[in-house]
Amino acid sequence: MKFDQARWSRDDAPVYEPLLSETNERTVDVDVDLPDDLTRNELTLPDPAEPQLARHYTRLSEMTYGVEHGPYPLGSCTMKYNPWFVEDLASDPNALVHPDRPDESIQGILAVQHRLQQDLASIGGMDAVTLQPPAGAAGEFAGILIATAYHEANGDDRSEVIVPDTAHGTNFASAAMGGYEVVELPSGEDGRVDVDALEGALSEDTAALMLTNPNTLGLFERDIERIADLVHDVGGLLYYDGANLNALLGRARPGDMGFDVMHYNVHKTFATPHGGGGPGAGPVGVSERLAEFLPEPHVREAEDSTAEDPTFERYAPARTIGKVHGFEGNWLVLLKAAAYIARLGDDGLSDASAKAVLNANYLASQIHYDVPFGPFHHEFVASAGDRDAAEVAKRMLDHGVHPPTTKWPETVSEALMTEPTEVESRDSLDQLAAAFDAVQSEDDATLANAPERTAAKRIDQTSAARSPRLCWQDLGAEE
Ligand SMILES: *Cc1c(COP(=O)(O)O)cnc(C)c1O
């Protein structure tokens, strides 16, 4: 179903006036020498006055829901508020330089990139970090390519990657795209890795085990050191999915647990809004023995660098897997992460993880739902029981909050995967808890008709993904 303005049912909401009405259309003639099939002769651009434009965007912002409207506990997504000061930095003209400029002329930028490589390495307990991959999934894929290059360099031909059943879908996809057979590992009774099952799955064919820790149920893998030993004993590598780093920041480090390679979700943990398809970054950290395989370019301190006059250069690591993105990745996103890490410092980062864990535990203690697994860290997975989790979620929208992630992981039936993050106050956690509980006491018909108070009602997500209407003219088109 397409967006339907008639259902915009808040009584006080003014009628939505399309910005692109006929009166303000303007035609621009385009005269360039390009092949016919690549050109168009007319380009119609809207030409609104500033007040119309301001109203248009303000209206759009009111029709959606973001973390700047209220709580957004979408589990595994870490929808935390991102402070505006990082945006000021990312729009500073000094940061907007062309990456093709020679190293001497962008020393300041290389210095920030080098520091970010090091900061991320020390946060993760890794020896080297590449900033290149543009997303978490892209980081996973780069990590898998690095693992493959490492095994190949050892003359080792391995065909399998093991992934627990609670893992994010991208883990399975990254391993499969890397050319591996994906071995799905069923969780144990306690929701964690079943070490006996793991022992059974491991072999000389194991290239890597991909783990999320705490896992997507928020549970810390207590046997992580034993797991690391088992994987290393068969010559495999241990991959850390760092999307859940908000639980560990400043407190525990994947490198210390025995992980060899990991990605960071900068657009979850480090101050870039997540979602909406905007640019992100998924830097990858590796231990010493994998550092020579990192993508190029990588930034290092130049040989003639001194403490008074530090100089940096880009280079290709000895056995690089090549490029996984242009230049050093999504630089402005990385700049925001560097600024956020510098502003918070060690104390701020560990404070963030403490509050993220406290908030998840407080919220879980306030709602009257079954939470089958624990103790959990930054997120918990409640069960909607005999209700449909998706309907519970739709109805929560009517109570003025964004709902949790639904129906995943599948190890909990009708899962409501909830991650409030460190940014929520006690009041907003109470508001969330009230929304959870209010829905529980409502009848099925109310849930089936929800949401009633949002600009768009139930959206056909499959069509939205498979045949999206991305052009303004499509807004008026009939199904
Ligand atoms: C978000 C997420 C990813 C993928 O990150 P993207 O940047 O969306 O590609 C991987 N693993 C987990 C656990 C995640 O939550």
Side-chain angles (χ1 to χ4, degrees):
M1 183 178 40
K2 70 186 163 55
F3 166 68
D4 181 349
Q5 75 171 67
R7 294 179 191 250
W8 173 243
S9 62
R10 261 176 24 194
D11 287 337
D12 54 351
V15 176
Y16 175 64
E17 236 182 279
L19 171 66
L20 303 158
S21 64
E22 281 186 314
T23 49
N24 56 18
E25 271 181 21
R26 175 172 66 146
T27 302
V28 180
D29 284 332
V30 182
D31 183 18
V32 280
D33 197 13
L34 286 170
D36 279 352
D37 59 338
L38 293 183
T39 60
R40 49 188 166 186
N41 297 322
E42 285 195 345
L43 180 61
T44 305
L45 295 173
D47 190 17
E50 182 174 325
Q52 284 173 286
L53 195 64
R55 286 176 190 164
H56 175 70
Y57 285 112
T58 304
R59 172 85 60 254
L60 289 181
S61 78
E62 286 167 351
M63 291 166 87
T64 185
Y65 185 94
V67 75
E68 289 172 13
H69 291 92
Y72 207 130
L74 198 64
S76 202
C77 287
T78 314
M79 301 298 285
K80 55 163 103 170
Y81 171 78
N82 301 292
W84 279 99
F85 82 92
V86 298
E87 300 294 339
D88 290 342
L89 278 170
S91 41
D92 187 316
N94 290 309
L96 306 173
V97 300
H98 196 284
D100 242 346
R101 280 170 48 165
D103 288 355
E104 313 84 83
S105 78
I106 53 167
Q107 280 297 308
I109 283 171
L110 296 183
V112 175
Q113 290 176 351
H114 186 258
R115 175 168 166 176
L116 180 58
Q117 286 175 186
Q118 289 189 312
D119 283 352
L120 290 174
S122 63
I123 288 169
M126 293 284 139
D127 292 313
V129 168
T130 173
L131 304 178
Q132 250 192 14
E140 289 170 28
F141 184 53
I144 291 293
L145 294 179
I146 290 168
T148 304
Y150 169 80
H151 289 309
E152 276 174 4
N154 293 335
D156 210 355
D157 187 17
R158 291 175 179 250
S159 58
E160 293 176 358
V161 169
I162 304 174
V163 184
D165 57 2
T166 52
H168 197 262
T170 51
N171 289 192
F172 301 91
S174 301
M177 275 184 65
Y180 290 98
E181 199 178 306
V182 185
V183 179
E184 182 172 324
L185 192 67
S187 300
E189 301 254 290
D190 64 350
R192 297 177 175 80
V193 167
D194 177 337
V195 177
D196 291 337
L198 175 64
E199 279 195 87
L202 285 166
S203 73
E204 305 270 292
D205 278 331
T206 307
L209 166 67
M210 297 180 85
L211 266 195
T212 311
N213 191 23
N215 69 14
T216 57
L217 292 162
L219 309 178
F220 191 81
E221 296 293 351
R222 300 188 183 111
D223 296 322
I224 187 59
E225 287 174 326
R226 167 133 177 76
I227 292 170
D229 287 345
L230 289 171
V231 174
H232 292 150
D233 284 350
V234 298
L237 294 171
L238 197 56
Y239 184 97
Y240 181 76
D241 178 335
N244 288 354
L245 208 55
N246 222 34
L248 299 185
L249 278 180
R251 295 179 178 273
R253 309 192 312 164
D256 299 337
M257 299 173 203
F259 285 94
D260 304 285
V261 45
M262 68 177 284
H263 78 268
Y264 305 76
N265 262 78
V266 160
H267 46 287
K268 289 178 183 171
T269 317
F270 302 114
T272 282
H274 170 207
V284 170
V286 294
S287 59
E288 186 68 49
R289 62 185 167 143
L290 300 178
E292 60 181 348
F293 302 102
L294 284 181
E296 61 103 2
H298 192 240
V299 181
R300 69 178 168 200
E301 233 179 308
E303 221 159 73
D304 57 358
S305 177
T306 60
E308 304 82 65
D309 186 18
T311 45
F312 300 92
E313 63 184 11
R314 289 174 282 192
Y315 75 106
R319 305 164 94 163
T320 180
I321 58 164
K323 285 182 190 299
V324 296
H325 193 270
F327 301 99
E328 291 87 62
N330 281 332
W331 154 236
L332 295 178
V333 170
L334 296 163
L335 174 61
K336 292 194 268 186
Y340 183 78
I341 292 169
R343 173 71 67 93
L344 264 66
D346 291 347
D347 291 345
L349 293 176
S350 49
D351 198 40
S353 60
K355 288 185 177 139
V357 173
L358 178 65
N359 280 359
N361 280 271
Y362 174 74
L363 180 59
S365 74
Q366 298 301 298
I367 64 172
H368 297 89
Y369 282 72
D370 180 29
V371 179
F373 296 108
F376 46 82
H377 289 252
H378 64 300
E379 69 189 359
F380 63 89
V381 181
S383 171
D386 53 9
R387 308 303 278 278
D388 180 331
E391 300 218 322
V392 170
K394 293 290 180 206
R395 184 60 181 161
M396 284 179 79
L397 292 165
D398 286 335
H399 289 280
V401 300
H402 196 284
T405 299
T406 56
K407 307 215 180 207
W408 178 63
E410 286 166 6
T411 46
V412 172
S413 80
E414 298 303 327
L416 295 163
M417 183 197 224
T418 314
E419 182 182 10
T421 83
E422 72 276 22
V423 303
E424 299 309 336
S425 64
R426 184 162 170 178
D427 279 350
S428 49
L429 293 169
D430 288 340
Q431 184 193 350
L432 264 173
F436 265 98
D437 284 353
V439 173
Q440 206 171 37
S441 60
E442 288 174 323
D443 60 33
D444 290 346
T446 308
L447 266 60
N449 288 323
E452 284 173 353
R453 299 190 190 137
T454 51
K457 299 203 86 185
R458 296 209 183 189
I459 292 172
D460 178 348
Q461 297 179 16
T462 311
S463 305
R466 302 225 169 114
S467 44
R469 295 196 184 124
L470 301 176
C471 179
W472 63 269
Q473 281 115 330
D474 295 343
L475 272 182
E478 280 311 312
E479 200 76 301

